[in-house]
Amino acid sequence: MSFSTPGPLRPLILDDIRGAQKMLAGVARMTAMEGSRHLTQLVGAPVHLKCENLQRTGSFKLRGAYVRIAGLRPEERAAGVVAASAGNHAQGVALASSLLGVRSTVFMPVGAPLPKVAATREYGAEVVLHGAVVDETLEAAEEYARETGAVFIHPFDHPDIIAGQGTVGLEILEQCPEVRTIVVGIGGGGLAAGIAVAVKAVRPDVKVIGVQAAASASYPPSLAAGHPVAIDPAPTMADGIKVGRPGDVPFALIRELVDDIVTVSEDDLSSALLLCLERAKLVVEPAGASPVAALLSDPGRFRGPVVAVLSGGNVDPVLLQRILRHGMAAAGRYLSLRVRIMDRPGVLAELLRALSVVDANVLDVGHVRTDPRLGLTEVEVELHLETKGPEHCLEVSAALREAGYQIIS
């Protein structure tokens, strides 16, 4: 993804973030800090969840958008603002603009999830659907800005945006003064950069760890090169942190202040989302769950107390359904296998009874009768089972073999 970057700007300092915090009073919520017993046991130290998924518009993006738009000159406000986004930034800009009485236009991809499109409109923006991918949407938004004079509101590459996002860091220090490690997802870098500026200025001993999806991790090669490097990000369920090139402004701050950046797999992400839903009772989008994914993938890496920032909860219900299935499979909660049986009445019922004895829930049953490997009176039954975890999967397979069934796969 390619974004235009601002011209020379003064460095961001703690006073900017404190000023943003005053500006956001009564606008952005101080979101809850919830303890996680499961993650605490896993890490071996207290783990707290900073619930920006419960922020207005469902993510931290309102903070930066409001500070950026509030800082516009009167003539800039009169010209209106424009943004390009597939979701969270769109909603943040829409609500911030409405609260400030500024006209907003938001370009979104044609395939953007309908709930996000509807929410952006409800927050007061004019939504224009354009392009199959965000790159095309962005080009259209920038062209609109050039033609109309509307101010383009960048999702992460501006000090005002970063100052607004940095207020999350100030809240963490207030809510969990004993924190020693903060784990935060990184896309373009605005949230991580803002938190790092705020936290390191007050508590330089606190570690700030960034997390990227392995499929679209632009920061590791950029840090190795010493400057932002554009990559071609692969598909990832964590579309909120799928950014092909770090922003110039956040990159400089992250290179200086963030202690480490780790990557997580798609299995890690889906398992993290499932954990947030089942254990914390929180709906979190995959990008927002990336810090939890990092804790799950390498719990011994993080010095506690740990605060994991759940940056957003705007997940499309259809995608959520797919991710939960993926997460259950990654956690060993699904078992798929084929069993060869005789093709005569009552044999399938016997097989299902054997499964009920070991408490395996049958989700789907299919028959294969045309495989040349099968005998004339044989059939293969394809089973999809819901289990209680990897150990239960082994128990189910062992019970079937002990009962005399031949497991093919």
Side-chain angles (χ1 to χ4, degrees):
M1 190 182 298
S2 171
F3 293 102
S4 61
T5 56
L9 296 161
R10 66 177 178 80
L12 188 71
I13 59 175
L14 178 61
D15 284 346
D16 296 316
I17 298 175
R18 285 179 170 156
Q21 187 175 45
K22 292 178 181 177
M23 187 181 296
L24 288 168
V27 175
R29 300 184 181 122
M30 176 183 278
T31 49
M33 181 87 74
E34 299 288 345
S36 171
R37 183 175 63 179
H38 180 80
L39 289 173
T40 292
Q41 292 173 343
L42 183 69
V43 173
V47 176
H48 306 278
L49 306 176
K50 176 61 172 167
C51 301
E52 281 296 290
N53 59 309
L54 302 179
Q55 183 58 260
R56 296 178 70 179
T57 75
S59 87
F60 69 96
K61 289 288 190 176
L62 171 65
R63 297 174 183 263
Y66 188 91
V67 173
R68 173 77 173 100
I69 297 168
L72 296 178
R73 298 187 302 274
E75 61 272 21
E76 291 175 318
R77 290 195 187 195
V81 299
V82 60
S85 168
N88 289 346
H89 182 59
Q91 294 173 67
V93 168
L95 179 57
S97 299
S98 294
L99 293 173
L100 291 163
V102 176
R103 185 179 70 258
S104 64
T105 303
V106 176
F107 284 73
M108 304 182 75
V110 172
L114 292 179
K116 294 184 179 181
V117 174
T120 303
R121 287 193 173 116
E122 288 171 7
Y123 286 129
E126 177 186 351
V127 174
V128 179
L129 299 178
H130 181 93
V133 295
V134 176
D135 282 340
E136 297 174 1
T137 306
L138 173 70
E139 291 174 2
E142 291 182 321
E143 179 62 25
Y144 178 90
R146 286 190 290 270
E147 291 178 353
T148 65
V151 178
F152 182 71
I153 305 300
H154 199 284
F156 50 80
D157 207 8
H158 194 283
D160 289 348
I161 293 286
I162 297 170
Q165 322 304 29
T167 59
V168 175
L170 295 181
E171 290 181 13
I172 290 172
L173 294 178
E174 179 178 343
Q175 294 170 300
C176 185
E178 68 277 15
V179 63
R180 298 177 73 187
T181 303
I182 297 172
V183 190
V184 56
I186 294 182
L191 177 61
I195 288 175
V197 170
V199 170
K200 292 291 187 177
V202 180
R203 287 276 309 282
D205 60 299
V206 174
K207 299 290 186 184
V208 179
I209 309 295
V211 185
Q212 291 207 287
S216 58
S218 60
Y219 265 86
S222 297
L223 291 169
H227 58 83
V229 172
I231 65 167
D232 184 14
T236 174
M237 66 179 72
D239 58 346
I241 52 174
K242 180 184 175 183
V243 174
R245 182 187 184 280
D248 292 335
V249 179
F251 175 82
L253 296 168
I254 286 172
R255 180 175 59 178
E256 177 185 357
L257 299 172
V258 170
D259 296 279
D260 196 8
I261 291 178
V262 301
T263 60
V264 292
S265 69
E266 298 300 291
D267 282 352
D268 294 331
L269 289 164
S270 58
S271 296
L273 188 148
L274 182 61
L275 183 145
C276 288
L277 187 63
E278 285 192 322
R279 298 299 184 96
K281 316 306 178 190
L282 293 168
V283 176
V284 184
E285 63 191 88
S290 59
V292 174
L295 295 178
L296 292 177
S297 66
D298 190 4
R301 182 181 194 130
F302 304 94
R303 182 182 63 175
V306 177
V307 172
V309 181
L310 306 181
S311 56
N314 291 317
V315 57
D316 178 57
V318 176
L319 176 62
L320 178 61
Q321 186 179 38
R322 294 204 303 267
I323 293 170
L324 290 177
R325 285 199 299 265
H326 186 94
M328 291 183 72
R333 304 262 295 276
Y334 283 138
L335 176 62
S336 297
L337 47 79
R338 284 188 177 190
V339 178
R340 190 168 294 176
I341 61 175
M342 299 303 294
D343 191 10
R344 63 170 184 259
V347 177
L348 177 60
E350 292 174 4
L351 172 61
L352 297 179
R353 276 195 294 272
L355 291 170
S356 69
V357 170
V358 289
D359 203 23
N361 185 34
V362 179
L363 299 176
D364 191 29
V365 178
H367 291 78
V368 178
R369 288 188 169 88
T370 57
D371 194 309
R373 297 173 301 171
L374 294 173
L376 187 62
T377 59
E378 291 181 322
V379 62
E380 280 184 5
V381 177
E382 185 174 3
L383 297 164
H384 298 279
L385 310 172
E386 181 183 359
T387 68
K388 300 173 184 177
E391 292 183 2
H392 191 210
C393 288
L394 295 174
E395 180 186 341
V396 171
S397 298
L400 289 178
R401 290 190 179 95
E402 289 174 7
Y405 292 101
Q406 181 183 2
I407 298 176
I408 308 303
S409 60

